[in-house]
Amino acid sequence: MKKPNIVMFLGDQLRSDAIGINGCRAAKTPNIDRLAKEGVSYRNAYCQNPVCVPSRCSFLTGMYPHTKGHRTMHYLLEEDDKTILESLKENGYAVYWLGRNDIYSSKKPELIKRCCHEYFEGKRYVSFTELEHHETIPREEVMADPYYYSFYQGEISSQEAHGELDWLCINRALEILDKIDDEQPFCLYISLQFPHPPYRCEEPWFSSIDRSFIEERRPDVETLKGKPSMLHGIREKQNLGSWTEAMYRELKAVYYAMVSRLDSHFGMIVDKLKEKNLYDDTNIIFFSDHGDYTGDYGIVEKAQNTFENPVSNVPLIIKPSSGFPILPRVSGVLAELVDLPATIAQMAGIRLDYVQFGKSLLHTLDREEEHKKAVFCEGGRVHGEDYAKEGGHNYLSEYWPRLCTQQSEGPEHTKAVMVRMGNYKYIKRLYESDEFYNLSSDPAELCNEIDNSKYGDIINQCRLEIMEHLIKTGDYIPRRKDIR
């Protein structure tokens, strides 16, 4: 029998609570919500690192970022790192990779070729602060501008938008689906840019969001106790202290507009699958690599070693092909993106011939609400790992507040591991105070209860869970035997 097709549709920096099915009143995501009503939406799914490169290295291999040191933006996969895309290609799938890379060096195109039959990168969007005319702006003028580091751009023209990566990749994906040979199973890996900042969008999405539905943001970090120094450092440098609630509301509205455009792009793929009579035979996985603060705690963008739900909790929706038992619902099971390779392999009926640490979610599609006792997210470096810092940016880059804070040899950019067990979240920090949150009573993670004695037992359980996790996944034995 022909193997089922696979579509992996990936948004960039999309937080879980920005789509309608997960409770966002302001969201306009009819296509994503419709998929969830035919499949399962995992409201408690977590990425394994809250920035793009480590997260993608993790969910495509099934290994945690710490296992081989994939904890930075500049340490990418190598020849001996196997991905689910490569496994699918080896097992007879026609694999098409459209959009962002972020796992392989541009100097090693042979590794991308190993994973797919076609790679379409599209056209890269150049960030506005990288344009030459900004090089003449004096430092004091930049520091005085409350919008400069906000990533906010607002409305753009349709002509400008249609030259961006996402439109080019979606158009190419539609062309591929028009020419698909139904005799061979295919995998479409569509990795788009939206809603990654800058916060910018065109009509009709820009004005489609009802601003009155925008929820109240989480309080500024300086008003809270027990938050990590990384958040304080970014907050201080992003210079958003003079922003009004109306300004924050408009920024989030533009973010939701970007999510709505992503939803429209996703709908175009679904409609084409139905037009070509491929939809029923296709497993569709919709997800994101990590989230975005979007003004919560007075911060925009994300950080490498902070784990509040806006950046670590990601959307994950799976609609299986016909033949797999399914009870459509929003599921509360704890899930991780590292589970994707095992899930896809089981759907495709193939065996992964390399070490990976994920667990297939296939059994949870049909009523099962037991999957994992704990899920993890991690990031940061140890003192002395100077080579793990991201350099090459000065105050003219909108990323400067985060990158400058990461350069510090204080505790800001240092190692931390998050574990969530049930509705409790514990964060072990190597060089500063730990964090503990009861998500049932404090879903916005405002009160760090690490010193509250009534949580002593569960905190110790979380610590033991992290220790066991690191022992299990700290390394692996390569599939070879060297001659002594």
Side-chain angles (χ1 to χ4, degrees), residues 179-193:
K179 299 176 182 178
I180 282 292
D181 178 2
D182 196 41
E183 296 301 313
Q184 183 181 17
F186 66 85
C187 170
L188 270 181
Y189 175 60
I190 304 173
S191 177
L192 299 187
Q193 182 92 1

Side-chain angles (χ1 to χ4, degrees), residues 163-424:
E164 291 180 339
L165 177 146
D166 288 15
W167 279 106
L168 296 172
C169 289
I170 288 298
N171 289 335
R172 180 60 189 145
L174 297 176
E175 291 173 358
I176 289 170
L177 288 174
D178 269 328
K179 299 176 182 178
I180 282 292
D181 178 2
D182 196 41
E183 296 301 313
Q184 183 181 17
F186 66 85
C187 170
L188 270 181
Y189 175 60
I190 304 173
S191 177
L192 299 187
Q193 182 92 1
F194 267 35
H196 190 292
Y199 307 106
R200 61 201 303 271
C201 198
E202 75 273 29
E203 291 289 5
W205 300 280
F206 177 79
S207 60
S208 69
I209 304 301
D210 187 335
R211 271 63 172 169
S212 68
F213 285 162
I214 303 294
E215 67 278 7
E216 184 178 347
R217 68 186 183 90
R218 302 183 183 202
D220 295 342
V221 67
E222 62 263 29
T223 68
L224 307 174
K225 293 182 179 180
K227 284 295 184 182
S229 56
M230 173 58 85
L231 289 187
H232 287 279
I234 294 174
R235 165 66 173 167
E236 178 185 357
K237 297 178 185 69
Q238 282 184 338
N239 194 26
L240 306 182
S242 64
W243 273 47
T244 65
E245 291 305 313
M247 294 164 70
Y248 279 115
R249 190 179 304 113
E250 182 61 22
L251 181 145
K252 183 164 280 190
V254 176
Y255 177 81
Y256 286 153
M258 297 172 74
V259 176
S260 184
R261 196 186 86 172
L262 180 77
D263 175 85
S264 295
H265 281 158
F266 176 67
M268 293 167 71
I269 298 299
V270 169
D271 288 346
K272 180 61 70 173
L273 289 169
K274 291 179 177 178
E275 176 192 324
K276 303 296 291 185
N277 293 319
L278 297 168
Y279 184 76
D280 290 343
D281 295 330
T282 301
N283 296 293
I284 301 178
I285 304 173
F286 177 93
F287 64 109
S288 172
D289 56 351
H290 55 81
D292 186 279
Y293 280 115
T294 335
D296 283 338
Y297 310 108
I299 292 166
V300 293
E301 215 224 340
K302 73 272 184 180
Q304 286 190 351
N305 64 341
T306 59
F307 310 104
E308 287 81 11
N309 273 359
V311 293
S312 62
N313 182 205
V314 294
L316 174 61
I317 302 172
I318 299 176
K319 191 284 296 182
S321 59
S322 58
F324 290 106
I326 177 73
L327 177 66
R329 69 197 188 282
V330 175
S331 172
V333 303
L334 292 173
E336 298 178 291
L337 293 188
V338 78
D339 296 332
L340 290 181
T343 303
I344 293 168
Q346 188 176 5
M347 285 176 159
I350 65 175
R351 179 179 177 274
L352 298 177
D353 62 351
Y354 62 92
V355 173
Q356 60 87 38
F357 298 109
K359 179 181 178 182
S360 174
L361 285 157
L362 202 59
H363 69 285
T364 67
L365 294 179
D366 183 24
R367 293 181 175 82
E368 180 63 58
E369 287 291 318
E370 295 287 336
H371 182 58
K372 284 185 169 180
K373 181 171 65 172
V375 292
F376 303 88
C377 193
E378 61 185 271
R381 57 183 171 84
V382 296
H383 287 315
E385 283 185 322
D386 294 341
Y387 49 88
K389 298 177 181 178
E390 294 173 48
H393 294 272
N394 62 21
Y395 71 90
L396 293 171
S397 169
E398 73 268 44
Y399 293 100
W400 176 83
R402 172 166 62 87
L403 298 177
C404 179
T405 305
Q406 289 177 189
Q407 295 292 317
S408 170
E409 271 305 294
E412 290 89 344
H413 191 219
T414 51
K415 266 191 174 184
V417 180
M418 180 215 89
V419 61
R420 176 171 173 180
M421 299 179 66
N423 280 325
Y424 297 110

Side-chain angles (χ1 to χ4, degrees), residues 58-264:
S58 177
F59 69 64
L60 285 172
T61 62
M63 290 192 290
Y64 290 93
H66 65 264
T67 304
K68 294 191 67 179
H70 293 294
R71 294 182 283 108
T72 81
M73 299 289 283
H74 299 293
Y75 182 50
L76 306 177
L77 297 183
E78 293 286 349
E79 286 82 355
D80 59 343
D81 294 315
K82 199 83 174 282
T83 69
I84 183 61
L85 299 179
E86 183 176 353
S87 293
L88 290 170
K89 184 181 179 185
E90 289 176 346
N91 283 272
Y93 274 79
V95 180
Y96 304 92
W97 181 343
L98 306 161
R100 298 193 58 166
N101 171 5
D102 289 330
I103 65 167
Y104 291 125
S105 169
S106 59
K107 297 182 182 295
K108 298 181 179 179
E110 70 278 4
L111 296 183
I112 295 179
K113 184 178 180 180
R114 202 170 72 178
C115 287
C116 58
H117 295 86
E118 178 182 321
Y119 172 53
F120 181 78
E121 184 182 29
K123 176 183 174 184
R124 289 287 181 182
Y125 170 69
V126 179
S127 179
F128 74 106
T129 55
E130 295 172 8
L131 301 179
E132 290 184 3
H133 69 271
H134 277 279
E135 294 179 1
T136 61
I137 298 179
R139 184 184 182 96
E140 57 271 19
E141 186 176 332
V142 170
M143 298 303 174
D145 183 353
Y147 278 99
Y148 195 91
Y149 295 124
S150 72
F151 291 86
Y152 178 82
Q153 291 187 21
E155 184 179 0
I156 59 173
S157 69
S158 296
Q159 182 179 5
E160 183 180 3
H162 277 74
E164 291 180 339
L165 177 146
D166 288 15
W167 279 106
L168 296 172
C169 289
I170 288 298
N171 289 335
R172 180 60 189 145
L174 297 176
E175 291 173 358
I176 289 170
L177 288 174
D178 269 328
K179 299 176 182 178
I180 282 292
D181 178 2
D182 196 41
E183 296 301 313
Q184 183 181 17
F186 66 85
C187 170
L188 270 181
Y189 175 60
I190 304 173
S191 177
L192 299 187
Q193 182 92 1
F194 267 35
H196 190 292
Y199 307 106
R200 61 201 303 271
C201 198
E202 75 273 29
E203 291 289 5
W205 300 280
F206 177 79
S207 60
S208 69
I209 304 301
D210 187 335
R211 271 63 172 169
S212 68
F213 285 162
I214 303 294
E215 67 278 7
E216 184 178 347
R217 68 186 183 90
R218 302 183 183 202
D220 295 342
V221 67
E222 62 263 29
T223 68
L224 307 174
K225 293 182 179 180
K227 284 295 184 182
S229 56
M230 173 58 85
L231 289 187
H232 287 279
I234 294 174
R235 165 66 173 167
E236 178 185 357
K237 297 178 185 69
Q238 282 184 338
N239 194 26
L240 306 182
S242 64
W243 273 47
T244 65
E245 291 305 313
M247 294 164 70
Y248 279 115
R249 190 179 304 113
E250 182 61 22
L251 181 145
K252 183 164 280 190
V254 176
Y255 177 81
Y256 286 153
M258 297 172 74
V259 176
S260 184
R261 196 186 86 172
L262 180 77
D263 175 85
S264 295

